[in-house]
Amino acid sequence: MDQIKIGRFIADERKRKGYTQKQLSEKIGISDKTISKWERGNGFPEVSLLLPLCDELEITVNELLSGERVSEDDYRKKAEVNMVNLVREAQESKKKIILSAMVATLTIVAAFPLFLLSGILEMENWLRVLLIAIGLVVVCGGIVIACILDREAGAFECPDCNTRFVPDMKSYVMGAHTLTKRKLVCPHCGAHRYCKKVLTK
Protein backbone atom coordinates (compact mmCIF):
# COMPACT_ATOMS: atom_id res chain seq x y z
CA MET A 1 0.00 0.00 0.00
CA ASP A 2 1.18 3.50 -0.85
CA GLN A 3 0.81 5.32 2.48
CA ILE A 4 1.77 8.69 0.96
CA LYS A 5 -0.97 8.40 -1.68
CA ILE A 6 -3.51 7.19 0.91
CA GLY A 7 -2.53 10.07 3.21
CA ARG A 8 -3.10 12.65 0.47
CA PHE A 9 -6.44 11.02 -0.34
CA ILE A 10 -7.55 11.20 3.31
CA ALA A 11 -6.55 14.89 3.42
CA ASP A 12 -8.39 15.67 0.16
CA GLU A 13 -11.56 13.88 1.25
CA ARG A 14 -11.46 15.51 4.69
CA LYS A 15 -11.20 18.96 3.07
CA ARG A 16 -13.97 18.07 0.60
CA LYS A 17 -16.22 17.36 3.60
CA GLY A 18 -15.15 20.67 5.17
CA TYR A 19 -13.62 19.06 8.28
CA THR A 20 -10.52 20.22 10.09
CA GLN A 21 -8.19 17.49 11.35
CA LYS A 22 -9.55 18.10 14.86
CA GLN A 23 -13.18 17.81 13.76
CA LEU A 24 -12.55 14.54 11.93
CA SER A 25 -10.56 13.14 14.85
CA GLU A 26 -13.39 13.93 17.30
CA LYS A 27 -15.93 12.21 15.06
CA ILE A 28 -14.00 8.91 15.06
CA GLY A 29 -12.63 9.17 18.61
CA ILE A 30 -8.89 9.65 18.06
CA SER A 31 -6.41 12.52 18.36
CA ASP A 32 -5.86 15.10 15.61
CA LYS A 33 -2.15 14.16 15.73
CA THR A 34 -3.12 10.70 14.46
CA ILE A 35 -5.02 12.24 11.52
CA SER A 36 -2.00 14.43 10.78
CA LYS A 37 0.28 11.38 10.87
CA TRP A 38 -1.93 9.51 8.39
CA GLU A 39 -2.13 12.49 6.05
CA ARG A 40 1.68 12.83 6.02
CA GLY A 41 1.96 9.16 5.08
CA ASN A 42 3.67 8.24 8.37
CA GLY A 43 1.03 5.76 9.44
CA PHE A 44 -2.14 3.97 8.41
CA PRO A 45 -5.54 3.69 10.13
CA GLU A 46 -5.94 0.64 12.36
CA VAL A 47 -8.43 -1.99 11.22
CA SER A 48 -10.94 -0.93 13.90
CA LEU A 49 -10.95 2.63 12.48
CA LEU A 50 -11.32 1.83 8.77
CA LEU A 51 -15.14 1.71 8.70
CA PRO A 52 -15.72 4.76 10.96
CA LEU A 53 -13.22 6.80 8.90
CA CYS A 54 -14.75 5.70 5.59
CA ASP A 55 -18.27 6.42 6.85
CA GLU A 56 -17.29 9.96 7.88
CA LEU A 57 -15.52 10.67 4.57
CA GLU A 58 -18.25 8.89 2.55
CA ILE A 59 -15.79 6.62 0.78
CA THR A 60 -15.40 2.85 0.61
CA VAL A 61 -12.62 0.85 2.27
CA ASN A 62 -11.55 -0.17 -1.22
CA GLU A 63 -11.15 3.50 -2.21
CA LEU A 64 -9.22 4.21 0.99
CA LEU A 65 -6.81 1.32 0.32
CA SER A 66 -6.45 2.46 -3.30
CA GLY A 67 -5.86 6.09 -2.31
CA GLU A 68 -8.34 7.34 -4.92
CA ARG A 69 -11.98 7.35 -5.96
CA VAL A 70 -12.83 4.13 -7.79
CA SER A 71 -15.41 3.86 -10.57
CA GLU A 72 -17.88 0.97 -10.57
CA ASP A 73 -16.03 -0.61 -13.49
CA ASP A 74 -12.69 -0.54 -11.66
CA TYR A 75 -14.08 -1.48 -8.24
CA ARG A 76 -13.63 -5.24 -8.50
CA LYS A 77 -10.18 -4.93 -10.06
CA LYS A 78 -9.00 -2.54 -7.32
CA ALA A 79 -10.50 -4.79 -4.62
CA GLU A 80 -8.50 -7.74 -5.96
CA VAL A 81 -5.29 -5.68 -6.10
CA ASN A 82 -5.82 -4.48 -2.52
CA MET A 83 -6.48 -8.05 -1.33
CA VAL A 84 -3.29 -9.27 -3.01
CA ASN A 85 -1.34 -6.44 -1.36
CA LEU A 86 -2.69 -7.36 2.09
CA VAL A 87 -1.79 -11.03 1.56
CA ARG A 88 1.69 -10.01 0.35
CA GLU A 89 2.17 -7.83 3.45
CA ALA A 90 1.20 -10.74 5.71
CA GLN A 91 3.60 -13.08 3.87
CA GLU A 92 6.46 -10.59 4.12
CA SER A 93 5.81 -10.17 7.84
CA LYS A 94 5.83 -13.95 8.28
CA LYS A 95 9.16 -14.18 6.45
CA LYS A 96 10.65 -11.50 8.73
CA ILE A 97 9.49 -13.37 11.84
CA ILE A 98 11.00 -16.63 10.55
CA LEU A 99 14.23 -14.82 9.61
CA SER A 100 14.33 -13.25 13.09
CA ALA A 101 14.06 -16.70 14.71
CA MET A 102 16.78 -18.06 12.40
CA VAL A 103 19.13 -15.17 13.24
CA ALA A 104 18.60 -15.76 16.97
CA THR A 105 19.30 -19.50 16.56
CA LEU A 106 22.41 -18.94 14.41
CA THR A 107 23.69 -16.41 16.94
CA ILE A 108 23.53 -18.99 19.73
CA VAL A 109 25.08 -21.67 17.51
CA ALA A 110 27.93 -19.32 16.51
CA ALA A 111 28.65 -17.95 19.99
CA PHE A 112 28.42 -21.17 22.01
CA PRO A 113 31.65 -22.74 20.63
CA LEU A 114 33.59 -19.55 21.43
CA PHE A 115 32.47 -19.65 25.06
CA LEU A 116 33.10 -23.39 25.22
CA LEU A 117 36.62 -23.14 23.81
CA SER A 118 37.53 -20.27 26.12
CA GLY A 119 36.57 -22.39 29.13
CA ILE A 120 37.98 -25.77 28.10
CA LEU A 121 41.26 -25.12 26.29
CA GLU A 122 44.52 -24.07 27.91
CA MET A 123 45.42 -20.61 26.60
CA GLU A 124 46.76 -17.26 27.62
CA ASN A 125 44.35 -14.97 29.45
CA TRP A 126 44.29 -12.31 26.72
CA LEU A 127 43.20 -14.94 24.17
CA ARG A 128 40.50 -16.26 26.52
CA VAL A 129 39.20 -12.70 27.04
CA LEU A 130 39.28 -12.13 23.26
CA LEU A 131 37.19 -15.26 22.56
CA ILE A 132 34.65 -14.29 25.23
CA ALA A 133 34.48 -10.72 23.84
CA ILE A 134 33.92 -11.98 20.28
CA GLY A 135 31.20 -14.32 21.59
CA LEU A 136 29.46 -11.44 23.37
CA VAL A 137 29.63 -9.25 20.24
CA VAL A 138 28.09 -12.06 18.17
CA VAL A 139 25.30 -12.58 20.74
CA CYS A 140 24.52 -8.85 21.07
CA GLY A 141 24.61 -8.27 17.31
CA GLY A 142 22.34 -11.23 16.67
CA ILE A 143 19.84 -10.12 19.31
CA VAL A 144 19.72 -6.57 17.84
CA ILE A 145 19.14 -7.86 14.29
CA ALA A 146 16.48 -10.35 15.49
CA CYS A 147 14.67 -7.59 17.43
CA ILE A 148 14.68 -5.20 14.46
CA LEU A 149 13.29 -7.86 12.12
CA ASP A 150 10.61 -9.00 14.59
CA ARG A 151 9.48 -5.45 15.45
CA GLU A 152 9.10 -4.50 11.79
CA ALA A 153 7.16 -7.67 10.95
CA GLY A 154 3.44 -6.91 11.21
CA ALA A 155 2.18 -5.09 14.29
CA PHE A 156 0.78 -5.57 17.80
CA GLU A 157 -2.95 -5.48 18.56
CA CYS A 158 -4.33 -3.90 21.74
CA PRO A 159 -6.81 -6.29 23.45
CA ASP A 160 -8.89 -3.34 24.75
CA CYS A 161 -9.52 -1.27 21.60
CA ASN A 162 -8.14 -3.59 18.85
CA THR A 163 -5.81 -0.85 17.59
CA ARG A 164 -2.85 -2.19 15.63
CA PHE A 165 0.46 -0.40 16.05
CA VAL A 166 4.22 -0.78 15.75
CA PRO A 167 5.94 0.20 19.02
CA ASP A 168 9.15 2.20 19.13
CA MET A 169 12.30 0.14 19.65
CA LYS A 170 12.69 1.10 23.33
CA SER A 171 9.13 0.00 24.20
CA TYR A 172 9.60 -3.18 22.19
CA VAL A 173 12.87 -4.15 23.90
CA MET A 174 11.74 -3.23 27.43
CA GLY A 175 8.30 -4.86 27.20
CA ALA A 176 7.86 -8.17 28.98
CA HIS A 177 6.87 -10.83 26.48
CA THR A 178 5.78 -14.35 25.68
CA LEU A 179 6.24 -16.03 22.30
CA THR A 180 3.16 -14.34 20.78
CA LYS A 181 2.47 -11.32 23.04
CA ARG A 182 4.37 -8.32 24.38
CA LYS A 183 3.37 -5.92 27.19
CA LEU A 184 3.04 -2.49 25.57
CA VAL A 185 1.20 0.81 25.99
CA CYS A 186 -1.47 1.29 23.30
CA PRO A 187 -1.00 4.69 21.57
CA HIS A 188 -4.77 4.91 21.00
CA CYS A 189 -6.39 4.08 24.35
CA GLY A 190 -3.32 4.19 26.65
CA ALA A 191 -3.91 0.69 28.06
CA HIS A 192 -0.79 -1.14 29.30
CA ARG A 193 -1.59 -4.70 28.26
CA TYR A 194 -0.15 -7.82 26.67
CA CYS A 195 -0.67 -7.10 22.97
CA LYS A 196 -0.93 -9.94 20.46
CA LYS A 197 1.45 -10.10 17.51
CA VAL A 198 -0.41 -9.89 14.17
CA LEU A 199 0.92 -10.14 10.61
CA THR A 200 -0.76 -7.06 9.09
CA LYS A 201 -0.70 -3.44 10.21
mmCIF file with all atom_site columns, all heavy atoms in Angstrom, residues 147-165:
data_model
loop_
_atom_site.group_PDB
_atom_site.id
_atom_site.type_symbol
_atom_site.label_atom_id
_atom_site.label_alt_id
_atom_site.label_comp_id
_atom_site.label_asym_id
_atom_site.label_entity_id
_atom_site.label_seq_id
_atom_site.pdbx_PDB_ins_code
_atom_site.Cartn_x
_atom_site.Cartn_y
_atom_site.Cartn_z
_atom_site.occupancy
_atom_site.B_iso_or_equiv
_atom_site.pdbx_formal_charge
_atom_site.auth_seq_id
_atom_site.auth_comp_id
_atom_site.auth_asym_id
_atom_site.auth_atom_id
_atom_site.pdbx_PDB_model_num
ATOM 1   N N   . CYS A 1 147 ? 15.684  -8.528  16.905 1.00 0.00 ? 147 CYS A N   1
ATOM 2   C CA  . CYS A 1 147 ? 14.671  -7.594  17.432 1.00 0.00 ? 147 CYS A CA  1
ATOM 3   C C   . CYS A 1 147 ? 14.164  -6.650  16.348 1.00 0.00 ? 147 CYS A C   1
ATOM 4   O O   . CYS A 1 147 ? 12.964  -6.393  16.243 1.00 0.00 ? 147 CYS A O   1
ATOM 5   C CB  . CYS A 1 147 ? 15.251  -6.782  18.592 1.00 0.00 ? 147 CYS A CB  1
ATOM 6   S SG  . CYS A 1 147 ? 15.391  -7.716  20.126 1.00 0.00 ? 147 CYS A SG  1
ATOM 7   N N   . ILE A 1 148 ? 15.074  -6.116  15.530 1.00 0.00 ? 148 ILE A N   1
ATOM 8   C CA  . ILE A 1 148 ? 14.679  -5.198  14.456 1.00 0.00 ? 148 ILE A CA  1
ATOM 9   C C   . ILE A 1 148 ? 13.749  -5.906  13.471 1.00 0.00 ? 148 ILE A C   1
ATOM 10  O O   . ILE A 1 148 ? 12.699  -5.373  13.097 1.00 0.00 ? 148 ILE A O   1
ATOM 11  C CB  . ILE A 1 148 ? 15.922  -4.641  13.727 1.00 0.00 ? 148 ILE A CB  1
ATOM 12  C CG1 . ILE A 1 148 ? 16.682  -3.675  14.653 1.00 0.00 ? 148 ILE A CG1 1
ATOM 13  C CG2 . ILE A 1 148 ? 15.539  -3.942  12.426 1.00 0.00 ? 148 ILE A CG2 1
ATOM 14  C CD1 . ILE A 1 148 ? 18.037  -3.254  14.137 1.00 0.00 ? 148 ILE A CD1 1
ATOM 15  N N   . LEU A 1 149 ? 14.117  -7.108  13.072 1.00 0.00 ? 149 LEU A N   1
ATOM 16  C CA  . LEU A 1 149 ? 13.288  -7.863  12.121 1.00 0.00 ? 149 LEU A CA  1
ATOM 17  C C   . LEU A 1 149 ? 11.911  -8.185  12.703 1.00 0.00 ? 149 LEU A C   1
ATOM 18  O O   . LEU A 1 149 ? 10.884  -8.019  12.040 1.00 0.00 ? 149 LEU A O   1
ATOM 19  C CB  . LEU A 1 149 ? 13.992  -9.167  11.728 1.00 0.00 ? 149 LEU A CB  1
ATOM 20  C CG  . LEU A 1 149 ? 15.202  -9.033  10.805 1.00 0.00 ? 149 LEU A CG  1
ATOM 21  C CD1 . LEU A 1 149 ? 15.940  -10.361 10.699 1.00 0.00 ? 149 LEU A CD1 1
ATOM 22  C CD2 . LEU A 1 149 ? 14.788  -8.552  9.425  1.00 0.00 ? 149 LEU A CD2 1
ATOM 23  N N   . ASP A 1 150 ? 11.877  -8.621  13.970 1.00 0.00 ? 150 ASP A N   1
ATOM 24  C CA  . ASP A 1 150 ? 10.610  -9.003  14.591 1.00 0.00 ? 150 ASP A CA  1
ATOM 25  C C   . ASP A 1 150 ? 9.708   -7.787  14.802 1.00 0.00 ? 150 ASP A C   1
ATOM 26  O O   . ASP A 1 150 ? 8.499   -7.862  14.588 1.00 0.00 ? 150 ASP A O   1
ATOM 27  C CB  . ASP A 1 150 ? 10.875  -9.706  15.923 1.00 0.00 ? 150 ASP A CB  1
ATOM 28  C CG  . ASP A 1 150 ? 9.597   -10.264 16.530 1.00 0.00 ? 150 ASP A CG  1
ATOM 29  O OD1 . ASP A 1 150 ? 8.931   -11.072 15.855 1.00 0.00 ? 150 ASP A OD1 1
ATOM 30  O OD2 . ASP A 1 150 ? 9.245   -9.877  17.660 1.00 0.00 ? 150 ASP A OD2 1
ATOM 31  N N   . ARG A 1 151 ? 10.279  -6.660  15.212 1.00 0.00 ? 151 ARG A N   1
ATOM 32  C CA  . ARG A 1 151 ? 9.480   -5.453  15.454 1.00 0.00 ? 151 ARG A CA  1
ATOM 33  C C   . ARG A 1 151 ? 8.844   -4.935  14.161 1.00 0.00 ? 151 ARG A C   1
ATOM 34  O O   . ARG A 1 151 ? 7.710   -4.491  14.144 1.00 0.00 ? 151 ARG A O   1
ATOM 35  C CB  . ARG A 1 151 ? 10.348  -4.360  16.067 1.00 0.00 ? 151 ARG A CB  1
ATOM 36  C CG  . ARG A 1 151 ? 9.558   -3.127  16.505 1.00 0.00 ? 151 ARG A CG  1
ATOM 37  C CD  . ARG A 1 151 ? 10.475  -2.021  16.978 1.00 0.00 ? 151 ARG A CD  1
ATOM 38  N NE  . ARG A 1 151 ? 11.133  -1.368  15.889 1.00 0.00 ? 151 ARG A NE  1
ATOM 39  C CZ  . ARG A 1 151 ? 10.654  -0.289  15.249 1.00 0.00 ? 151 ARG A CZ  1
ATOM 40  N NH1 . ARG A 1 151 ? 9.492   0.222   15.593 1.00 0.00 ? 151 ARG A NH1 1
ATOM 41  N NH2 . ARG A 1 151 ? 11.328  0.258   14.266 1.00 0.00 ? 151 ARG A NH2 1
ATOM 42  N N   . GLU A 1 152 ? 9.595   -5.022  13.062 1.00 0.00 ? 152 GLU A N   1
ATOM 43  C CA  . GLU A 1 152 ? 9.103   -4.502  11.787 1.00 0.00 ? 152 GLU A CA  1
ATOM 44  C C   . GLU A 1 152 ? 8.130   -5.450  11.090 1.00 0.00 ? 152 GLU A C   1
ATOM 45  O O   . GLU A 1 152 ? 7.467   -5.068  10.134 1.00 0.00 ? 152 GLU A O   1
ATOM 46  C CB  . GLU A 1 152 ? 10.283  -4.204  10.856 1.00 0.00 ? 152 GLU A CB  1
ATOM 47  C CG  . GLU A 1 152 ? 11.116  -3.027  11.322 1.00 0.00 ? 152 GLU A CG  1
ATOM 48  C CD  . GLU A 1 152 ? 12.326  -2.770  10.448 1.00 0.00 ? 152 GLU A CD  1
ATOM 49  O OE1 . GLU A 1 152 ? 12.582  -3.579  9.521  1.00 0.00 ? 152 GLU A OE1 1
ATOM 50  O OE2 . GLU A 1 152 ? 13.011  -1.770  10.679 1.00 0.00 ? 152 GLU A OE2 1
ATOM 51  N N   . ALA A 1 153 ? 8.064   -6.688  11.561 1.00 0.00 ? 153 ALA A N   1
ATOM 52  C CA  . ALA A 1 153 ? 7.164   -7.672  10.951 1.00 0.00 ? 153 ALA A CA  1
ATOM 53  C C   . ALA A 1 153 ? 5.767   -7.516  11.533 1.00 0.00 ? 153 ALA A C   1
ATOM 54  O O   . ALA A 1 153 ? 5.546   -7.796  12.707 1.00 0.00 ? 153 ALA A O   1
ATOM 55  C CB  . ALA A 1 153 ? 7.695   -9.082  11.193 1.00 0.00 ? 153 ALA A CB  1
ATOM 56  N N   . GLY A 1 154 ? 4.819   -7.055  10.736 1.00 0.00 ? 154 GLY A N   1
ATOM 57  C CA  . GLY A 1 154 ? 3.444   -6.915  11.209 1.00 0.00 ? 154 GLY A CA  1
ATOM 58  C C   . GLY A 1 154 ? 3.288   -5.814  12.245 1.00 0.00 ? 154 GLY A C   1
ATOM 59  O O   . GLY A 1 154 ? 3.886   -4.760  12.145 1.00 0.00 ? 154 GLY A O   1
ATOM 60  N N   . ALA A 1 155 ? 2.479   -6.097  13.258 1.00 0.00 ? 155 ALA A N   1
ATOM 61  C CA  . ALA A 1 155 ? 2.177   -5.094  14.290 1.00 0.00 ? 155 ALA A CA  1
ATOM 62  C C   . ALA A 1 155 ? 1.706   -5.821  15.551 1.00 0.00 ? 155 ALA A C   1
ATOM 63  O O   . ALA A 1 155 ? 1.690   -7.049  15.604 1.00 0.00 ? 155 ALA A O   1
ATOM 64  C CB  . ALA A 1 155 ? 1.085   -4.151  13.788 1.00 0.00 ? 155 ALA A CB  1
ATOM 65  N N   . PHE A 1 156 ? 1.352   -5.030  16.573 1.00 0.00 ? 156 PHE A N   1
ATOM 66  C CA  . PHE A 1 156 ? 0.782   -5.574  17.802 1.00 0.00 ? 156 PHE A CA  1
ATOM 67  C C   . PHE A 1 156 ? -0.630  -5.028  17.949 1.00 0.00 ? 156 PHE A C   1
ATOM 68  O O   . PHE A 1 156 ? -0.892  -3.870  17.618 1.00 0.00 ? 156 PHE A O   1
ATOM 69  C CB  . PHE A 1 156 ? 1.646   -5.192  19.012 1.00 0.00 ? 156 PHE A CB  1
ATOM 70  C CG  . PHE A 1 156 ? 2.959   -5.908  19.053 1.00 0.00 ? 156 PHE A CG  1
ATOM 71  C CD1 . PHE A 1 156 ? 4.072   -5.379  18.415 1.00 0.00 ? 156 PHE A CD1 1
ATOM 72  C CD2 . PHE A 1 156 ? 3.085   -7.125  19.697 1.00 0.00 ? 156 PHE A CD2 1
ATOM 73  C CE1 . PHE A 1 156 ? 5.292   -6.048  18.429 1.00 0.00 ? 156 PHE A CE1 1
ATOM 74  C CE2 . PHE A 1 156 ? 4.291   -7.809  19.718 1.00 0.00 ? 156 PHE A CE2 1
ATOM 75  C CZ  . PHE A 1 156 ? 5.396   -7.263  19.084 1.00 0.00 ? 156 PHE A CZ  1
ATOM 76  N N   . GLU A 1 157 ? -1.549  -5.868  18.444 1.00 0.00 ? 157 GLU A N   1
ATOM 77  C CA  . GLU A 1 157 ? -2.954  -5.476  18.556 1.00 0.00 ? 157 GLU A CA  1
ATOM 78  C C   . GLU A 1 157 ? -3.343  -5.340  20.020 1.00 0.00 ? 157 GLU A C   1
ATOM 79  O O   . GLU A 1 157 ? -3.172  -6.277  20.809 1.00 0.00 ? 157 GLU A O   1
ATOM 80  C CB  . GLU A 1 157 ? -3.826  -6.512  17.865 1.00 0.00 ? 157 GLU A CB  1
ATOM 81  C CG  . GLU A 1 157 ? -5.296  -6.136  17.832 1.00 0.00 ? 157 GLU A CG  1
ATOM 82  C CD  . GLU A 1 157 ? -6.110  -7.129  17.032 1.00 0.00 ? 157 GLU A CD  1
ATOM 83  O OE1 . GLU A 1 157 ? -6.566  -8.127  17.628 1.00 0.00 ? 157 GLU A OE1 1
ATOM 84  O OE2 . GLU A 1 157 ? -6.269  -6.912  15.822 1.00 0.00 ? 157 GLU A OE2 1
ATOM 85  N N   . CYS A 1 158 ? -3.876  -4.161  20.369 1.00 0.00 ? 158 CYS A N   1
ATOM 86  C CA  . CYS A 1 158 ? -4.331  -3.903  21.737 1.00 0.00 ? 158 CYS A CA  1
ATOM 87  C C   . CYS A 1 158 ? -5.582  -4.732  22.026 1.00 0.00 ? 158 CYS A C   1
ATOM 88  O O   . CYS A 1 158 ? -6.535  -4.694  21.243 1.00 0.00 ? 158 CYS A O   1
ATOM 89  C CB  . CYS A 1 158 ? -4.631  -2.412  21.902 1.00 0.00 ? 158 CYS A CB  1
ATOM 90  S SG  . CYS A 1 158 ? -5.374  -1.994  23.498 1.00 0.00 ? 158 CYS A SG  1
ATOM 91  N N   . PRO A 1 159 ? -5.628  -5.477  23.138 1.00 0.00 ? 159 PRO A N   1
ATOM 92  C CA  . PRO A 1 159 ? -6.812  -6.293  23.452 1.00 0.00 ? 159 PRO A CA  1
ATOM 93  C C   . PRO A 1 159 ? -8.016  -5.455  23.886 1.00 0.00 ? 159 PRO A C   1
ATOM 94  O O   . PRO A 1 159 ? -9.143  -5.926  23.841 1.00 0.00 ? 159 PRO A O   1
ATOM 95  C CB  . PRO A 1 159 ? -6.327  -7.187  24.597 1.00 0.00 ? 159 PRO A CB  1
ATOM 96  C CG  . PRO A 1 159 ? -5.214  -6.421  25.240 1.00 0.00 ? 159 PRO A CG  1
ATOM 97  C CD  . PRO A 1 159 ? -4.556  -5.640  24.132 1.00 0.00 ? 159 PRO A CD  1
ATOM 98  N N   . ASP A 1 160 ? -7.781  -4.188  24.285 1.00 0.00 ? 160 ASP A N   1
ATOM 99  C CA  . ASP A 1 160 ? -8.887  -3.339  24.746 1.00 0.00 ? 160 ASP A CA  1
ATOM 100 C C   . ASP A 1 160 ? -9.626  -2.658  23.589 1.00 0.00 ? 160 ASP A C   1
ATOM 101 O O   . ASP A 1 160 ? -10.850 -2.670  23.536 1.00 0.00 ? 160 ASP A O   1
ATOM 102 C CB  . ASP A 1 160 ? -8.370  -2.273  25.717 1.00 0.00 ? 160 ASP A CB  1
ATOM 103 C CG  . ASP A 1 160 ? -7.991  -2.865  27.070 1.00 0.00 ? 160 ASP A CG  1
ATOM 104 O OD1 . ASP A 1 160 ? -8.091  -4.100  27.219 1.00 0.00 ? 160 ASP A OD1 1
ATOM 105 O OD2 . ASP A 1 160 ? -7.590  -2.113  27.957 1.00 0.00 ? 160 ASP A OD2 1
ATOM 106 N N   . CYS A 1 161 ? -8.870  -2.032  22.666 1.00 0.00 ? 161 CYS A N   1
ATOM 107 C CA  . CYS A 1 161 ? -9.518  -1.265  21.596 1.00 0.00 ? 161 CYS A CA  1
ATOM 108 C C   . CYS A 1 161 ? -9.251  -1.830  20.197 1.00 0.00 ? 161 CYS A C   1
ATOM 109 O O   . CYS A 1 161 ? -9.711  -1.265  19.207 1.00 0.00 ? 161 CYS A O   1
ATOM 110 C CB  . CYS A 1 161 ? -9.088  0.200   21.657 1.00 0.00 ? 161 CYS A CB  1
ATOM 111 S SG  . CYS A 1 161 ? -7.335  0.466   21.264 1.00 0.00 ? 161 CYS A SG  1
ATOM 112 N N   . ASN A 1 162 ? -8.475  -2.925  20.127 1.00 0.00 ? 162 ASN A N   1
ATOM 113 C CA  . ASN A 1 162 ? -8.139  -3.588  18.852 1.00 0.00 ? 162 ASN A CA  1
ATOM 114 C C   . ASN A 1 162 ? -7.317  -2.725  17.896 1.00 0.00 ? 162 ASN A C   1
ATOM 115 O O   . ASN A 1 162 ? -7.241  -3.013  16.707 1.00 0.00 ? 162 ASN A O   1
ATOM 116 C CB  . ASN A 1 162 ? -9.402  -4.092  18.139 1.00 0.00 ? 162 ASN A CB  1
ATOM 117 C CG  . ASN A 1 162 ? -10.126 -5.148  18.937 1.00 0.00 ? 162 ASN A CG  1
ATOM 118 O OD1 . ASN A 1 162 ? -9.497  -5.986  19.570 1.00 0.00 ? 162 ASN A OD1 1
ATOM 119 N ND2 . ASN A 1 162 ? -11.442 -5.097  18.941 1.00 0.00 ? 162 ASN A ND2 1
ATOM 120 N N   . THR A 1 163 ? -6.692  -1.672  18.418 1.00 0.00 ? 163 THR A N   1
ATOM 121 C CA  . THR A 1 163 ? -5.811  -0.848  17.594 1.00 0.00 ? 163 THR A CA  1
ATOM 122 C C   . THR A 1 163 ? -4.548  -1.639  17.273 1.00 0.00 ? 163 THR A C   1
ATOM 123 O O   . THR A 1 163 ? -3.988  -2.300  18.142 1.00 0.00 ? 163 THR A O   1
ATOM 124 C CB  . THR A 1 163 ? -5.424  0.447   18.347 1.00 0.00 ? 163 THR A CB  1
ATOM 125 O OG1 . THR A 1 163 ? -6.600  1.219   18.554 1.00 0.00 ? 163 THR A OG1 1
ATOM 126 C CG2 . THR A 1 163 ? -4.406  1.267   17.580 1.00 0.00 ? 163 THR A CG2 1
ATOM 127 N N   . ARG A 1 164 ? -4.097  -1.554  16.027 1.00 0.00 ? 164 ARG A N   1
ATOM 128 C CA  . ARG A 1 164 ? -2.846  -2.193  15.630 1.00 0.00 ? 164 ARG A CA  1
ATOM 129 C C   . ARG A 1 164 ? -1.776  -1.124  15.496 1.00 0.00 ? 164 ARG A C   1
ATOM 130 O O   . ARG A 1 164 ? -2.017  -0.078  14.888 1.00 0.00 ? 164 ARG A O   1
ATOM 131 C CB  . ARG A 1 164 ? -3.021  -2.930  14.302 1.00 0.00 ? 164 ARG A CB  1
ATOM 132 C CG  . ARG A 1 164 ? -3.943  -4.126  14.449 1.00 0.00 ? 164 ARG A CG  1
ATOM 133 C CD  . ARG A 1 164 ? -4.022  -4.949  13.183 1.00 0.00 ? 164 ARG A CD  1
ATOM 134 N NE  . ARG A 1 164 ? -4.850  -6.122  13.408 1.00 0.00 ? 164 ARG A NE  1
ATOM 135 C CZ  . ARG A 1 164 ? -4.956  -7.121  12.561 1.00 0.00 ? 164 ARG A CZ  1
ATOM 136 N NH1 . ARG A 1 164 ? -4.296  -7.114  11.430 1.00 0.00 ? 164 ARG A NH1 1
ATOM 137 N NH2 . ARG A 1 164 ? -5.725  -8.150  12.845 1.00 0.00 ? 164 ARG A NH2 1
ATOM 138 N N   . PHE A 1 165 ? -0.616  -1.394  16.066 1.00 0.00 ? 165 PHE A N   1
ATOM 139 C CA  . PHE A 1 165 ? 0.457   -0.398  16.049 1.00 0.00 ? 165 PHE A CA  1
ATOM 140 C C   . PHE A 1 165 ? 1.815   -1.073  16.096 1.00 0.00 ? 165 PHE A C   1
ATOM 141 O O   . PHE A 1 165 ? 1.946   -2.230  16.495 1.00 0.00 ? 165 PHE A O   1
ATOM 142 C CB  . PHE A 1 165 ? 0.303   0.564   17.236 1.00 0.00 ? 165 PHE A CB  1
ATOM 143 C CG  . PHE A 1 165 ? 0.432   -0.104  18.587 1.00 0.00 ? 165 PHE A CG  1
ATOM 144 C CD1 . PHE A 1 165 ? 1.638   -0.087  19.277 1.00 0.00 ? 165 PHE A CD1 1
ATOM 145 C CD2 . PHE A 1 165 ? -0.643  -0.767  19.167 1.00 0.00 ? 165 PHE A CD2 1
ATOM 146 C CE1 . PHE A 1 165 ? 1.770   -0.715  20.512 1.00 0.00 ? 165 PHE A CE1 1
ATOM 147 C CE2 . PHE A 1 165 ? -0.526  -1.395  20.400 1.00 0.00 ? 165 PHE A CE2 1
ATOM 148 C CZ  . PHE A 1 165 ? 0.681   -1.368  21.079 1.00 0.00 ? 165 PHE A CZ  1
#
